[in-house]
Amino acid sequence: MTSLAQSPLAGVGRLVRAVAPSTPLIVFLAMFAYLGMASSNFLEPSTMALVLKQSVPTVVVCLGLATVVMAGGDDVVVGGIDLSVPATAVLAAAIIADLVSNHAMFIGYALLIGVAAGVVCGLVNAFLVVFFGMTPLLATFASSTAFIGISKVVTASRRINVGDPLIVWLRDGSIFGVPAGVICACLIAAVFYFVLHRTRWGLNLQAVGGSRDAAEMSGLSAARFIAQSFVIAGLVGGVASAFVLARGSGWTPGTEENLMMEMVLATFLGAAFSPRRIVTLWGAVLGAVLVSALSVGFGSVGIDIFWTGCIKGSLILIVVASAALSRKVNA
Amino acid sequence: MTEPTGHILQMSGITKIFPGVVALDNANLAVREGHIHGLVGENGAGKSTIIKVLAGVYGRDAGEVVIDGAAMAAMTPAHVHAAGIRFIHQELHLVPHFTVAESVFMGQELQGWFGIKSRAMAEAAETFLKETLNAEIRGTTLIRDLGVAQRKLVQIARALIDNKARIVVFDEPTAPLASREIDQLFEAIARLKARGISMVYVSHYLGEITSICDQVTVFRNGRDVGVIEAIGPQDTGRMINMMVGRDISDLYPAKAHAPAAALLRVEALGDHKHFDNIDLEIRRGEIVGVAGLIGSGREELVDTIYGLRQPAAGRMLIDGKPVRLASPAAAVKQGIVLVPRDRRQDGLVLGMTVADNVNLASLEDVSRAYLINRPAAAKRADALAAKLDIRPRNVDTVARLLSGGNQQKVVLARWLATGSRLFILDEPTVGVDIGAKVEIYRLIERLAGDGAAVIVSSSDPNELIGLCDRIVVMLRGSIVANVDTATTSLDALIALTTGGELHEGAVA
Amino acid sequence: MVLNIRQALVTSAVLAAALGLVATTSISPSWSDEALSLKGKRIGVAVVGTQHFWDREAFNGALDQVKALGGEPVPVDGGRDNQVHADNHDILLANKVDAVISILGDAAVEPKFKALKDAGIPVFTVDHLSPYSINNTTSDNYYMGTTIGRYMADALGGKGKVAVFNAFEGALRICAIRTQMWKYVLQDYPGIKIVQPELAEAFANAPEDARKKTLDLLTQYPKGTLDAIHVGCWDQPAIGVVQALQETGRTEIKVTALDAGPDTLEIMAEKDSPFVANVAQQPRKIGATSAMNVARYFAGQKLMPQTFVDVVPVKGPEEAKKVYEQLGYGKLH
């Protein structure tokens, strides 16, 4: 057959198709290679331990976002996304900090109330998305702003120190030399892995995200699973509050911004590492650790904080663009 | 197995009314136990409506559904499922990143104390695919790594895995398949039949219907017009007569043009996916029809000639010179224009006026130094509107407010304004009333009379026979016939398009 | 520079002591410190953010002084996020620096300081009191608080209603000192009432946040019902407060705040500015002094728990112009 009509575009398309899903991976490896060379101690075990420790709150909120994405599909605009997990965590943290430090409540009760508040936040999102049919991106962006507003009302927008032994243990404690926060995050991640990847409910939730039609055809109610995913994300936000409090030794306004950026970056970056090229729990966890490693690495090398923000923003773009591109070329 | 005689499914007197349209009018469908029952009819005849009534997706306004002797009072999808009726939809509805086992067991996964039993599911899916459908597919393979035919089998396996299916409804199951893949599917269907499962088989491909079905019900205008028992290839002509049921009216203008020298030649064109090895020649002053079912590669071929898609093989020559059209813009430069099938989406800027739409593709002619000469533009739009009889005649009317036929005329006017020499009309009269149709046919005839070459791609066989000089028929990505309309009957064209065989000498 | 300062000494007795110190630290160590050196030492310098003049100057003052003493600074910037700032100390710990200068920060840094101390790395703080720090270099916050209290009372004629931005009294000890000393002075002016509840400014993007909150406040308190707005611990929010007053034409309300960097001195120097009183700190000198203290520590000298760097009270536009020039920010007309 003649190849006269062979378009040069076809070749580019094939190249894009082959490379696009791996672009974030390549960019990350390049960055790590650079950081490893530029900073003498970046690859040392003590630095890696620090990376793990700092990644804990991000890892936990990523579990929530990953659940919503898995149930809603990974189309950033119309699929599942929950930007409000960090805001939920910060609101729950505000409530816990206020109860423990200003009202001398027992930490166990305060944590329960905080987690319950997180679940309520999740219910609000589920209601907005499933009942009102709002786009998840917009609904959770709006609810996120509202949750932060409530947290400022609760705290009068002032820092609250929390010195409760449990929170201090989460921050400084360790079991057999492994930081307590890291162990707790691993346990939570393991529970989520089992529920989402190893149970019928989890597989059905993923089916809804993979193809709403296919799930409906199999007798699964897409609306039910999507609503449940938001409630789970709210629960995760409530649980993450403990780690947010531990990390900051209390509640500080503005914590959600950095957390949200890292969460989005980590979760979608994780998709690049998954063999199926989709958002998965392990991908999100790994992504969170890598993002934390980048923050530590940039700090070690002494890169200007404004550049760090710029680089992370560009990374989000690369990750999301490569996801969009690989979807486009595979269509 | 005993000889199956009784009816497992009886739908009688089904009426379904949508606002302003009677979709089903006292329609009947009866399926014998253990048989494969074909369901045919033209687009809009009511086939898919009655299937959706059976599925419980649409409620019925009148009529009775009896399954295995028991009348179905309430019909929700859950009830229908419980009654053992399964649907294999035309779309695959599979999750690309799920494994075969996860897809087959979707909604009824096997779960133990330690979570999902992945291995047991994979083994069960493999066994089921092998024994029931004669397919060797590993349970751990991802859906996206499967071919279309294998995905179809996974889809079937999902419907049958609970072993409770009694009636399986196939809706155009072969539409996305290549010919060699169809045999694999038919073999699977034969195995299902051997297991005593009854089937309803909906298809446009009459060739398939005659080769695998036991009986056929023909639908026309929302009701069943006949049942053919013991169907075979000899019944194709009868089936087409029942489906069409009308003669070609004198909608079509007399063919007054005389084809001259070749304008466009297409040699061995293919995209390795939708069509391959296409040879085509179109002369100036000639109207060539392209016939083919959805999935035949007809739309993709037309898009490729227009530069919207890129071919993987072969070449195109205009006036004997090879050209490569990287985009529609390049095609327009060569004097090739496409009047798209979805003019609301692709052809018109609905918010702009008729005049602006007419001048859209040729603004440079009515502009000086990038500034649009408004009076000149309006004058030309006026002249074209008069020539094409666009109504209302006011060219300042917003395009959205025009009727479908007049919108189509605006799109044609735009390309007349550019002085193009090859017109590709994709479904030119879809959604257009009968009066406007006649006008559009006259316009097309005039284009050819003025020396332009015209390609009409259409799913309406009447239109192709009435309008064109020649018709090329596409089936599964290849040209299977190139016929002169003067010597081709409607039945023969339908037979060619649907892959059926005419045995009663219908080819004149 | 030295000549200018000599002239200033003659013309302004009030400023003499402070400006003399500017000369010693911005040029070279004074005679008694000539032997000091940080040669071969890597000094981590952590700052909460570099968007604001004060933070940036203290940061650069410390970095420059570390370099001037022959040390290698390892800078980390929190981007005006207290959490990031705290986490940055972990990075310095992993980097095994020889000492850490930590500028500002809330209680989230305390466990980090402890970890550094446990690892044998001495911590020096700027504007942050901590049990784990060898020395805290800061302005005389007690004096700042009482002075701004007196100046505001004077500007109000001893009576009126005042709203206060006071988000950090509970979070930062320096803020607690400044605000509580201000309130201590106001006890003696029974005619001055503090509007309740107190306002809370944002830590990042403070001017815009304060502008919006002031606009809300002005709607709540129509003309004649509010006489002054005070920012308890710094003056970045005051920029937004003045903006809001000018937008609404409510410039009869007096504004007072603390820090007096060039940006706020410029606002104060404008004719009929509502921003009437401030107390100027010398952030560059504070940073540099902290670096000197690190060198003194390594030289075996005994350090006081706190080193105070003098402040310069500013009242009215004329003084604002004068202080602007005298602190080396240029000349205002």
Side-chain angles (χ1 to χ4, degrees):
Chain A
M1 231 173 252
T2 168
S3 62
L4 256 180
Q6 182 85 36
S7 158
L9 278 174
V12 174
R14 257 196 305 280
L15 188 71
V16 168
R17 190 187 312 231
V19 173
S22 317
T23 313
L25 205 66
I26 294 165
V27 172
F28 259 75
L29 287 178
M31 277 186 184
F32 280 112
Y34 165 75
L35 290 173
M37 282 187 292
S39 168
S40 51
N41 56 358
F42 180 63
L43 298 171
E44 279 182 20
S46 64
T47 312
M48 290 297 129
L50 169 64
V51 165
L52 284 183
K53 222 176 144 179
Q54 288 202 353
S55 68
V56 167
T58 314
V59 165
V60 178
V61 291
C62 277
L63 296 175
L65 177 58
T67 306
V68 173
V69 175
M70 283 159 74
D74 57 2
D75 186 310
V76 178
V77 178
V78 295
I81 194 161
D82 187 349
L83 295 180
S84 73
V85 187
T88 304
V90 166
L91 171 57
I95 293 170
I96 296 168
D98 184 54
L99 291 174
V100 171
S101 296
N102 298 345
H103 299 89
M105 186 186 269
F106 169 59
I107 185 79
Y109 297 146
L111 281 175
L112 277 182
I113 292 172
V115 170
V119 172
V120 171
C121 291
L123 283 168
V124 168
N125 284 329
F127 195 67
L128 291 176
V129 171
V130 175
F131 188 77
F132 281 112
M134 283 176 75
T135 313
L137 187 72
L138 284 178
T140 58
F141 178 71
S143 65
S144 172
T145 314
F147 298 158
I148 290 302
I150 299 170
S151 78
K152 288 193 173 158
V153 172
V154 170
T155 59
S157 196
R158 287 170 175 85
R159 181 183 161 83
I160 302 175
N161 291 328
V162 176
D164 187 274
L166 181 69
I167 297 294
V168 172
W169 177 77
L170 266 186
R171 185 188 72 210
D172 293 336
S174 63
I175 300 172
F176 301 120
V178 183
V182 174
I183 288 177
C184 289
C186 285
L187 285 177
I188 294 171
V191 169
F192 265 76
Y193 171 77
F194 182 79
V195 171
L196 280 172
H197 286 278
R198 301 302 314 159
T199 66
R200 232 176 120 163
W201 181 84
L203 269 190
N204 292 346
L205 181 126
Q206 291 187 56
V208 170
S211 162
R212 210 162 287 186
D213 290 334
E216 297 269 8
M217 300 267 165
S218 306
L220 306 172
S221 160
R224 202 187 89 208
F225 282 100
I226 290 169
Q228 286 170 342
S229 75
F230 279 106
V231 176
I232 298 267
L235 176 78
V236 167
V239 171
S241 65
F243 299 99
V244 168
L245 285 174
R247 188 185 188 191
S249 309
W251 186 89
T252 309
T255 320
E256 72 283 354
E257 288 174 22
N258 204 30
L259 200 54
M260 177 156 100
M261 207 248 309
E262 293 197 343
M263 170 187 79
V264 172
L265 178 53
T267 306
F268 288 96
L269 177 70
F273 298 112
S274 116
R276 298 186 187 184
R277 295 275 179 263
I278 50 164
V279 169
T280 59
L281 280 182
W282 287 140
V285 168
L286 184 61
V289 173
L290 288 175
V291 169
S292 155
L294 271 194
S295 301
V296 170
F298 286 148
S300 314
V301 181
I303 289 174
D304 190 301
I305 185 97
F306 302 118
W307 276 112
T308 308
C310 188
I311 293 167
K312 281 189 187 165
S314 312
L315 275 176
I316 295 186
L317 277 178
I318 291 172
V319 166
V320 176
S322 85
L325 206 58
S326 51
R327 202 179 4 254
K328 198 174 149 195
V329 292
N330 285 328
Chain B
M1 201 193 301
T2 56
E3 178 65 23
T5 47
H7 285 121
I8 189 165
L9 169 70
Q10 278 179 299
M11 301 178 77
S12 36
I14 306 289
T15 298
K16 174 71 194 170
I17 300 168
F18 292 112
V21 187
V22 180
L24 288 177
D25 179 13
N26 200 16
N28 304 291
L29 178 66
V31 179
R32 289 225 177 92
E33 180 150 23
H35 280 197
I36 305 178
H37 193 102
L39 183 56
V40 299
E42 288 193 298
N43 286 332
K47 289 176 312 224
S48 52
T49 310
I50 199 162
I51 293 304
K52 283 185 173 150
V53 169
L54 177 61
V57 176
Y58 291 161
R60 57 188 188 273
D61 295 310
E64 192 188 26
V65 179
V66 178
I67 295 170
D68 224 2
M72 296 281 287
M75 293 261 290
T76 66
H79 284 115
V80 174
H81 190 89
I85 306 183
R86 302 285 183 271
F87 296 85
I88 310 297
H89 294 272
Q90 192 173 347
E91 298 83 21
L92 287 160
H93 293 310
L94 294 169
V95 181
H97 56 258
F98 266 39
T99 65
V100 167
E102 285 165 356
S103 304
V104 167
F105 281 94
M106 187 178 287
Q108 47 201 348
E109 293 83 356
L110 309 176
Q111 190 175 358
W113 280 105
F114 301 101
I116 289 290
K117 297 179 181 168
S118 298
R119 187 174 298 174
M121 272 165 52
E123 280 167 8
E126 276 167 31
T127 313
F128 188 88
L129 281 161
K130 177 85 187 98
E131 288 180 357
T132 313
L133 303 174
N134 193 32
E136 296 272 4
I137 305 174
R138 286 185 60 84
T140 50
T141 313
L142 294 186
I143 294 296
R144 66 161 171 237
D145 296 331
L146 296 181
V148 182
Q150 289 176 311
R151 292 186 197 194
K152 200 84 209 172
L153 294 171
V154 170
Q155 188 189 12
I156 295 170
R158 181 171 72 196
L160 303 176
I161 188 72
D162 61 358
N163 282 319
K164 289 179 189 149
R166 306 204 50 208
I167 306 171
V168 180
V169 180
F170 290 92
D171 188 4
E172 293 285 357
T174 61
L177 303 184
S179 357
R180 64 192 149 72
E181 295 173 321
I182 293 172
D183 296 337
Q184 199 181 355
L185 177 70
F186 284 179
E187 200 178 322
I189 289 176
R191 286 203 174 213
L192 295 183
K193 190 181 173 185
R195 292 187 154 221
I197 291 173
S198 316
M199 283 168 267
V200 178
Y201 192 96
V202 184
S203 181
H204 279 114
Y205 295 95
L206 301 185
E208 295 173 4
I209 295 278
T210 55
S211 64
I212 68 161
C213 293
D214 300 308
Q215 302 92 32
V216 170
T217 299
V218 182
F219 265 58
R220 187 174 79 228
N221 292 337
R223 55 171 54 160
D224 53 311
V225 289
V227 176
I228 304 172
E229 298 284 346
I231 187 137
Q234 71 284 354
D235 296 313
T236 305
R238 211 173 125 207
M239 210 159 38
I240 293 170
N241 276 331
M242 288 165 116
M243 281 165 59
V244 179
R246 62 176 183 268
D247 296 322
I248 305 170
S249 62
D250 53 355
L251 287 171
Y252 303 98
K255 292 166 189 166
H257 49 270
L263 175 68
L264 171 76
R265 278 180 63 80
V266 170
E267 294 178 352
L269 203 66
D271 69 353
H272 299 335
K273 199 170 174 187
H274 304 97
F275 61 89
D276 266 312
N277 252 330
I278 301 292
D279 292 310
L280 203 57
E281 186 184 81
I282 294 149
R283 291 173 287 172
R284 293 170 190 279
E286 186 181 34
I287 305 176
V288 175
V290 184
L293 298 171
I294 289 168
S296 64
R298 171 167 63 91
E299 294 181 356
E300 290 80 6
L301 172 66
V302 164
D303 286 352
T304 306
I305 294 177
Y306 182 58
L308 214 54
R309 288 165 171 272
Q310 296 305 315
R315 61 176 187 163
M316 284 169 55
L317 302 94
I318 292 179
D319 276 339
K321 285 184 222 93
V323 290
R324 193 158 74 195
L325 306 174
S327 67
V332 169
K333 276 216 182 90
Q334 293 286 346
I336 304 177
V337 299
L338 176 79
V339 181
R341 52 190 160 270
D342 186 353
R343 60 188 161 271
R344 281 189 160 264
Q345 195 181 326
D346 302 330
L348 273 182
V349 185
L350 291 171
M352 278 170 44
T353 65
V354 169
D356 289 342
N357 267 299
V358 166
N359 287 313
L360 195 62
S362 53
L363 279 175
E364 60 272 27
D365 298 346
V366 287
S367 307
R368 194 159 294 143
Y370 296 104
L371 291 174
I372 300 168
N373 181 345
R374 286 256 158 219
K379 204 169 142 196
R380 192 173 59 164
D382 267 334
L384 282 162
K387 189 174 171 191
L388 302 187
D389 196 22
I390 293 172
R391 287 174 207 188
R393 188 60 55 77
N394 181 1
V395 294
D396 291 329
T397 312
V398 175
R400 181 183 290 110
L401 304 175
L402 268 51
S403 70
N406 280 301
Q407 286 181 346
Q408 189 69 298
K409 285 196 241 169
V410 171
V411 177
L412 281 170
R414 176 196 303 161
W415 298 120
L416 284 175
T418 62
S420 306
R421 46 189 182 161
L422 173 61
F423 286 80
I424 304 172
L425 305 164
D426 196 359
E427 303 284 6
T429 60
V430 164
V432 164
D433 65 59
I434 194 82
K437 260 188 191 175
V438 172
E439 286 182 47
I440 288 168
Y441 292 147
R442 279 208 211 109
L443 246 167
I444 294 171
E445 175 62 28
R446 194 189 305 163
L447 288 175
D450 289 349
V454 182
I455 297 175
V456 178
S457 166
S458 174
S459 56
D460 180 352
N462 289 304
E463 178 171 289
L464 291 171
I465 297 245
L467 190 62
C468 303
D469 300 307
R470 272 193 300 130
I471 299 171
V472 294
V473 181
M474 293 188 70
L475 186 66
R476 303 203 179 282
S478 306
I479 291 184
V480 292
N482 186 342
V483 295
D484 189 331
T485 50
T487 58
T488 306
S489 72
L490 184 59
D491 290 1
L493 178 60
I494 295 174
L496 287 168
T497 314
T498 57
E501 295 167 48
L502 276 185
H503 283 253
E504 294 167 20
V507 181
Chain C
M1 178 88 191
V2 173
L3 264 181
N4 282 343
I5 286 160
R6 294 264 156 77
Q7 282 169 342
L9 272 171
V10 179
T11 52
S12 174
V14 182
L15 297 172
L19 296 176
L21 272 170
V22 169
T24 56
T25 50
S26 61
I27 309 300
S28 64
S30 65
W31 63 270
S32 62
D33 294 327
E34 262 168 20
L36 291 178
S37 166
L38 287 172
K39 213 166 206 88
K41 297 255 190 278
R42 296 169 68 240
I43 311 297
V45 182
V47 67
V48 74
T50 46
Q51 285 96 322
H52 297 155
F53 176 79
W54 197 100
D55 310 358
R56 191 168 55 239
E57 281 293 285
F59 186 50
N60 289 334
L63 293 180
D64 291 349
Q65 193 63 49
V66 167
K67 280 185 223 158
L69 292 169
E72 182 201 336
V74 182
V76 280
D77 176 358
R80 206 68 199 169
D81 182 328
N82 274 311
Q83 187 60 59
V84 176
H85 175 57
D87 290 344
N88 280 341
H89 291 77
D90 290 332
I91 294 173
L92 295 177
L93 175 62
N95 255 309
K96 302 185 186 69
V97 293
D98 295 299
V100 168
I101 297 174
S102 177
I103 303 170
L104 293 165
D106 63 13
V109 296
E110 291 300 330
K112 316 291 183 182
F113 287 171
K114 182 173 185 297
L116 285 165
K117 193 183 175 192
D118 292 347
I121 300 174
V123 177
F124 296 80
T125 52
V126 166
D127 264 18
H128 184 110
L129 278 160
S130 164
Y132 307 108
S133 129
I134 305 278
N135 163 275
N136 177 38
T137 303
T138 182
S139 290
D140 185 343
N141 298 304
Y142 315 97
Y143 177 61
M144 285 173 81
T146 53
T147 306
I148 201 67
R150 288 190 291 109
Y151 278 18
M152 194 193 78
D154 290 350
L156 290 176
K159 64 177 197 299
K161 262 184 156 167
V162 54
V164 60
F165 281 95
N166 183 23
F168 307 115
E169 184 176 348
L172 304 175
R173 177 61 193 158
I174 54 160
C175 293
I177 298 169
R178 291 173 194 177
T179 315
Q180 283 166 12
M181 293 317 288
W182 173 77
K183 285 179 181 169
Y184 188 68
V185 170
L186 292 191
Q187 284 176 10
D188 299 326
Y189 296 87
I192 295 178
K193 297 270 180 286
I194 299 171
V195 166
Q196 296 297 333
E198 294 175 352
L199 301 164
E201 71 269 34
F203 188 64
N205 305 318
E208 180 53 26
D209 170 76
R211 183 181 147 266
K212 282 188 216 132
K213 284 178 177 148
T214 305
L215 288 175
D216 293 346
L217 181 77
L218 293 177
T219 334
Q220 208 184 335
Y221 292 91
K223 207 166 180 121
T225 57
L226 187 69
D227 303 289
I229 299 174
H230 176 63
V231 185
C233 191
W234 53 329
D235 65 4
Q236 291 298 309
I239 298 172
V241 171
V242 171
Q243 264 178 20
L245 294 180
Q246 285 168 345
E247 276 171 48
T248 52
R250 300 278 298 275
T251 46
E252 84 281 359
I253 296 174
K254 308 276 187 265
V255 178
T256 54
L258 297 166
D259 274 3
D263 41 3
T264 43
L265 283 173
E266 279 162 25
I267 295 169
M268 289 181 70
E270 283 165 20
K271 192 167 178 296
D272 299 326
S273 173
F275 200 158
V276 293
N278 204 335
V279 180
Q281 301 195 60
Q282 302 183 69
R284 175 169 276 273
K285 203 171 105 184
I286 293 175
T289 305
S290 184
M292 290 295 292
N293 284 344
V294 177
R296 289 187 183 109
Y297 171 82
F298 283 122
Q301 293 184 22
K302 175 137 182 66
L303 287 172
M304 290 296 119
Q306 294 207 74
T307 307
F308 294 101
V309 174
D310 285 351
V311 294
V312 188
V314 191
K315 196 195 302 188
E318 289 314 311
E319 273 189 36
K321 284 180 198 166
K322 206 154 48 180
V323 173
Y324 190 88
E325 196 178 338
Q326 283 156 355
L327 289 180
Y329 300 148
K331 208 165 164 60
L332 281 178
H333 300 286

